[in-house]
Amino acid sequence: MLKPILKEPSVNESERVLSAIVSNTFFSLWCYPSLFRSTGKGKEFADLTIYFNNTLVIFSDKGHVNFQEHNDIQLAWSRWYRAAVKESAKQLHGAESLVRNHPDKLFLNSKLEDPFPFDLTKPGLKIHLVAVTGGIGQHAQRYYDSLGAGSRGTLVYSYQADEDYLLKKPFLVGDVDPRKTFVHVLDESGLKLLFEELCTPEDFIHFLDTKERVIRSGALLSSAGEEETLASYLQEESEHGFGDLRVTAGYEGHCFRIPEGEWKYYRQTVAYALRHAHKKNAKLWNQIIARFADAITGACVGEAKDVPLLGHSDALQILASENLYSSSFLASSLFEKFNQVPKGMRSARTAPSTAKPDRLYIFLFFPWDDSFASYQEYREARRDCMQLYASVAMYKYQKAREILIFGADTKRSQVASETIIAVDASVPLTSEGRKMAQHAMKTLHILDHVSERVIQTSNSGADVGRNDPCPCGSKKKYKKCCMGTGMH
């Protein structure tokens, strides 16, 4: 029986702000403000922990560490660096060591009664470490203004510099300890910007993976700020709509630096305008995931209460593992279909994931009518219908290896709910299963005539004319849609 997940609240205001920012992207199911360890007499494990798709992101938040402005700037900086950055890195590496050596020692509360609900012993667990430094931006701004106006006042990064050099250079940070797991050092503005722009779990984790890889390979020497690194990443395309960090074409094998001004330039591009429009759509997809996540953590799932937490989490993780562009396309397809379905009619649409080529979605809108004795009976009938759609989809779309059925009420229904079913389509149907699917398709008209939407994932906008159809899929002209969005 599914039980509510009872979490400990954040300890202080700084940690509450951090949790609020992060949970908008990783939702209530995968975001944990305070965990505790059974080793060391039940001490706090970390200030914030994320678990998603066998990846753990551990945050250390020291709050506003005092910056001693009355002292010489170099002395004030070196003391702040040791207290805010070095101490955070020490805490983070200790937390990582605990997970690697004692993965069963994490608990949801200080009483050590409820164990952490996810399996940290699975092979290939990836761990990212993030140190959040609060209150340093205003001091950095004053320092940079004294050298010359125009800087954003964020921390600057020199990844190949040693600690002695960093301690002598105010507001310069780097690779805290190259012998251990990389620590992402983020000031408040950098943290907020990353979670605003990388607003899906897949996008955020992919950015961390990419950044660590290029830094530890020695390719990225420095960056004028986290916002500049993000701009550079978003302007390079890799597979399936993700960004990248790499040297300019023709200079492969060389090192590179990211200068100041990249973010300001990127904000004026067509690519930014297009991404801004997709981000609005992706947040609609996020709202659906958030409702499911809250229902699971609160054990208010309607049907399938007998399914364990990991079963619910694995199904929802499919929806949450789409990147921004794929989430945008899926949300557009879902809501467009929802608005088209006539009242009282069952209708469905298939939609491929643009980020996961082997994944297929089926959006099923199932009407309520007065023949149902109760809403519970209606939900059971809808779920049975979803199972039929799953079987037909496995028969009809044999290239798919993963199928997710999304079931919901039709428009203008007096009540509303959603259900998801995840299907492992890599296991082929039996002979009897194929016959049943054929029968359902022919007699019940299941997926015998559906609209399937395939949308390009390019985010460059370089070849889009003013009067061409907008790449976001709105069917409007580009000049009347994304071209004028988000440029101010």
Side-chain angles (χ1 to χ4, degrees):
M1 180 68 71
L2 187 66
K3 297 180 180 179
I5 298 177
L6 303 178
K7 304 178 186 180
E8 289 274 352
S10 299
V11 174
N12 54 47
E13 181 60 24
S14 177
E15 292 178 18
R16 280 190 287 274
V17 171
L18 172 64
S19 179
I21 293 171
V22 175
S23 62
N24 283 333
T25 296
F26 284 90
F27 315 104
S28 57
L29 184 56
W30 299 295
C31 187
Y32 293 83
S34 294
L35 294 175
F36 293 83
R37 49 193 175 94
S38 58
T39 58
K41 299 179 181 179
K43 290 184 178 180
E44 187 180 47
F45 167 71
D47 299 318
L48 181 69
T49 306
I50 290 168
Y51 178 84
F52 184 82
N53 197 17
N54 209 31
T55 296
L56 204 65
V57 186
I58 307 172
F59 292 81
S60 173
D61 180 6
K62 293 297 182 186
H64 287 217
V65 174
N66 182 41
F67 189 85
Q68 302 171 357
E69 286 186 291
H70 58 280
N71 286 324
D72 171 76
I73 185 67
Q74 186 174 313
L75 177 61
W77 167 250
S78 63
R79 288 178 174 176
W80 183 91
Y81 181 91
R82 289 188 176 96
V85 178
K86 289 286 288 184
E87 281 301 312
S88 283
K90 180 180 178 182
Q91 178 189 5
L92 290 166
H93 287 132
E96 179 193 21
S97 177
L98 177 76
V99 171
R100 296 295 188 192
N101 296 305
H102 305 285
D104 58 337
K105 302 298 184 183
L106 287 187
F107 291 82
L108 294 178
N109 50 59
S110 56
K111 295 181 180 179
L112 308 180
E113 295 172 342
D114 300 316
F116 186 61
F118 299 102
D119 182 8
L120 300 178
T121 65
K122 292 170 64 176
L125 176 70
K126 174 69 177 179
I127 297 180
H128 290 290
L129 307 177
V130 181
V132 181
T133 61
I136 193 62
Q138 58 183 323
H139 304 289
Q141 185 70 66
R142 279 197 288 269
Y143 174 74
Y144 290 127
D145 281 346
S146 70
L147 301 178
S151 172
R152 286 175 58 90
T154 56
L155 293 173
V156 176
Y157 300 88
S158 181
Y159 295 113
Q160 309 306 320
D162 60 27
E163 185 174 288
D164 288 341
Y165 182 82
L166 296 175
L167 288 172
K168 297 174 183 177
K169 297 292 183 178
F171 310 106
L172 186 69
V173 295
D175 191 344
V176 182
D177 190 340
R179 301 165 301 174
K180 298 179 180 179
T181 298
F182 182 81
V183 176
H184 299 263
V185 181
L186 302 177
D187 56 25
E188 290 169 307
S189 63
L191 177 81
K192 292 176 182 177
L193 185 65
L194 289 188
F195 278 100
E196 173 60 28
E197 296 297 329
L198 305 170
C199 60
T200 75
E202 283 288 292
D203 283 295
F204 183 77
I205 291 173
H206 188 273
F207 174 77
L208 296 188
D209 284 335
T210 303
K211 183 178 157 191
E212 288 183 25
R213 173 177 51 79
V214 296
I215 291 171
R216 283 294 171 90
S217 71
L220 178 56
L221 297 179
S222 65
S223 173
E226 195 68 17
E227 75 281 9
E228 317 294 8
T229 304
L230 178 63
S232 181
Y233 169 84
L234 293 177
Q235 291 177 90
E236 296 286 349
E237 290 187 50
S238 62
E239 280 191 312
H240 308 307
F242 289 103
D244 202 358
L245 289 168
R246 54 175 178 254
V247 297
T248 305
Y251 292 88
E252 289 81 4
H254 291 73
C255 302
F256 68 104
R257 302 175 187 274
I258 301 175
E260 189 168 20
E262 286 292 298
W263 178 251
K264 182 178 180 180
Y265 166 79
Y266 175 60
R267 282 290 304 269
Q268 306 304 317
T269 63
V270 170
Y272 176 82
L274 291 174
R275 184 179 179 86
H276 183 83
H278 284 302
K279 189 168 63 176
K280 289 166 64 176
N281 256 355
K283 288 184 177 180
L284 295 176
W285 190 252
N286 279 0
Q287 289 174 15
I288 296 171
I289 299 169
R291 288 199 296 271
F292 277 111
D294 292 345
I296 294 169
T297 55
C300 302
V301 295
E303 63 259 72
K305 285 188 176 181
D306 56 330
V307 175
L309 173 71
L310 293 183
H312 288 282
S313 175
D314 289 346
L316 186 57
Q317 184 177 280
I318 295 174
L319 271 72
S321 63
E322 303 292 343
N323 63 17
L324 182 141
Y325 290 102
S326 192
S327 297
S328 173
F329 300 145
L330 291 168
S332 177
S333 181
L334 171 65
F335 286 104
E336 182 182 80
K337 183 63 178 177
F338 174 69
N339 288 319
Q340 290 175 351
V341 176
K343 184 177 180 181
M345 289 188 65
R346 165 175 58 86
S347 189
R349 164 175 284 179
T350 65
S353 164
T354 63
K356 313 285 182 179
D358 295 335
R359 180 181 295 165
L360 178 71
Y361 287 84
I362 298 173
F363 303 130
L364 170 64
F365 296 99
F366 190 84
W368 158 275
D369 63 53
D370 293 337
S371 66
F372 294 109
S374 65
Y375 192 67
Q376 179 62 32
E377 182 179 298
Y378 159 80
R379 291 193 64 160
E380 291 172 0
R382 185 176 71 188
R383 187 174 180 85
D384 290 342
C385 187
M386 292 170 65
Q387 295 285 3
L388 288 174
Y389 271 81
S391 297
V392 174
M394 290 182 67
Y395 169 75
K396 190 172 182 178
Y397 300 99
Q398 296 183 19
K399 290 184 179 180
R401 292 294 174 264
E402 195 172 44
I403 297 174
L404 190 130
I405 320 295
F406 177 96
D409 305 80
T410 54
K411 194 174 183 179
R412 291 179 293 274
S413 178
Q414 294 182 353
V415 287
S417 64
E418 296 114 12
T419 302
I420 55 174
I421 297 176
V423 179
D424 180 3
S426 64
V427 180
L429 288 171
T430 63
S431 177
E432 185 64 27
R434 288 196 297 272
K435 291 179 182 178
M436 291 178 61
Q438 288 176 327
H439 180 74
M441 186 167 60
K442 292 177 181 178
T443 60
L444 300 175
H445 303 291
I446 290 178
L447 297 183
D448 60 338
H449 181 69
V450 295
S451 59
E452 183 171 0
R453 191 174 185 184
V454 181
I455 307 175
Q456 65 180 25
T457 60
S458 173
N459 65 339
S460 68
D463 300 321
V464 184
R466 287 170 53 85
N467 294 306
D468 291 340
C470 187
C472 77
S474 67
K475 299 182 180 179
K476 298 178 182 178
K477 288 183 178 181
Y478 176 51
K479 68 182 180 181
K480 293 188 176 181
C481 191
C482 295
M483 182 177 178
T485 305
M487 296 293 286
H488 51 276

